Amino acid sequence: MAVYHFSWDLSWFALVDWPVDRGFGWRLFAAAIATSFLALVGVSLVLAHEAGIRWRPALRRIARVALAAGAISLVTWLALGDQFVRFGILHAIALGSLIALPFVAAPPAVTALAGLIVLALPLGLRVSFPGDAWFGWTGLVATPPLSVDFVPVFPWLGVILLAVAATRVFRDGPAWRSLAAWRARGRIAGLAALAGRHSLLVYLLHQPILFGSVWAVVALGLAPDRTEQTFVETCAMSCSVAAEPGICERACQCTLDALKADGTWTRLLDAPDDPALNARLSDAYGLCRTEIGPARE
């Protein structure tokens, strides 16, 4: 989780060109992290309530996670605007724990069937209606909301339910007994166990520390300036629709050189929305494209 978030921070500040928010491998990595979180929620529910559901401590814990989820939404709204966390992993844990709690006492087959239904439902049911943004938390809307962290009830509640069912089935097996016999020994294992006992605190603190550290490096001017490289890469990506990649890279580098030569580049960085400066950028790009090569046939 920390590796993923640190990578996202580096990408957000354009210190790396990793496609953290859209690359298939990165999205698979994020899904694996979320799956592990929610599977452990299911395991924990069985361990905490297999002798009978203890509603008071359960509701107290769920309320604590829900409060933390609300804080995450507020902070990310203030920091990121419309991309804030509407329904992220903590929201999914809080609501998923509440819904899954009665299934701890249900037959494992019933719980597993419910989990499979929850996983499959979004594949066949998508709704769209005016003002459906409020319904996004379900995961059943045709157009998911824009968010840096989105873990809707469907299908992710299914992971919790399947973990509850699996834990009930394998609770007394030899593999489980071997895991139960393990004890944290040594400094590294001890730190891992400590972090596990305070996982909510670790979750709440790690990203502000990582994000703040990267921001400080950038603000102090200690990070390499990738503005020009990012411009060329973005320009070449747009250009590649109509021209060969090699032509695009040369045309975009030519455009950058022309803008720097007449001082437009510096002014454009200070006022990126200035119509006159953007017109000059378009003129320079058009001239470079004409000089360097034709459009793709």
Side-chain angles (χ1 to χ4, degrees):
M1 176 189 66
V3 169
Y4 178 83
H5 282 159
F6 185 57
S7 301
W8 188 92
D9 297 339
L10 294 175
S11 176
W12 176 267
F13 285 100
L15 298 181
V16 296
D17 58 358
W18 306 336
V20 179
D21 60 338
R22 62 186 182 278
F24 176 76
W26 287 103
R27 294 173 70 88
L28 190 63
F29 184 28
I33 295 169
T35 299
S36 69
F37 273 38
L38 296 173
L40 288 173
V41 169
V43 173
S44 299
L45 286 174
V46 174
L47 294 181
H49 304 286
E50 60 182 344
I53 298 176
R54 300 178 298 129
W55 285 102
R56 180 171 294 180
L59 293 176
R60 186 164 56 243
R61 172 186 171 275
I62 292 170
R64 187 165 60 246
V65 176
L67 183 63
I72 291 290
S73 292
L74 176 61
V75 170
T76 54
W77 177 69
L78 294 173
L80 304 176
D82 198 47
Q83 296 188 53
F84 76 101
V85 177
R86 289 171 167 81
F87 201 88
I89 189 68
L90 290 187
H91 303 72
I93 289 175
L95 185 56
S97 297
L98 184 62
I99 296 174
L101 194 54
F103 284 92
V104 172
V110 172
T111 305
L113 178 61
L116 291 174
I117 292 173
V118 171
L119 286 176
L121 193 60
L123 300 177
L125 177 62
R126 293 285 183 175
V127 299
S128 179
F129 53 88
D132 61 5
W134 68 270
F135 199 61
W137 60 273
T138 64
L140 299 178
V141 293
T143 304
L146 181 66
S147 178
V148 295
D149 183 25
F150 184 51
V151 189
V153 172
F154 296 91
W156 291 102
L157 171 63
V159 176
I160 299 178
L161 293 175
L162 289 177
V164 168
T167 305
R168 289 283 309 281
V169 171
F170 296 108
R171 178 70 175 88
D172 297 319
W176 191 277
R177 287 195 295 270
S178 297
L179 285 173
W182 181 84
R183 295 292 181 271
R185 295 182 176 87
R187 180 171 299 180
I188 295 177
L191 287 174
L194 180 65
R197 287 193 292 270
H198 302 282
S199 55
L200 180 59
L201 183 62
V202 171
Y203 183 86
L204 292 175
L205 293 181
H206 84 281
Q207 179 63 325
I209 293 172
L210 293 175
F211 190 89
S213 299
V214 177
W215 174 85
V217 168
V218 172
L220 294 173
L222 302 177
D225 187 357
R226 296 188 69 256
T227 307
E228 295 181 8
Q229 182 181 347
T230 301
F231 169 80
V232 173
E233 292 172 351
T234 305
C235 169
M237 186 181 301
S238 300
C239 163
S240 63
V241 175
E244 298 297 334
I247 292 175
C248 287
E249 292 172 4
R250 295 199 301 274
C252 292
Q253 185 61 54
C254 168
T255 303
L256 176 62
D257 293 340
L259 296 177
K260 291 173 66 177
D262 65 9
T264 302
W265 177 249
T266 301
R267 299 197 301 275
L268 192 60
L269 292 178
D270 294 333
D273 297 323
D274 187 293
L277 296 177
N278 279 278
R280 166 59 186 143
L281 186 156
S282 297
D283 291 342
Y285 172 74
L287 182 60
C288 287
R289 279 283 288 109
T290 301
E291 292 178 350
I292 289 176
R296 177 183 293 159
E297 295 296 336

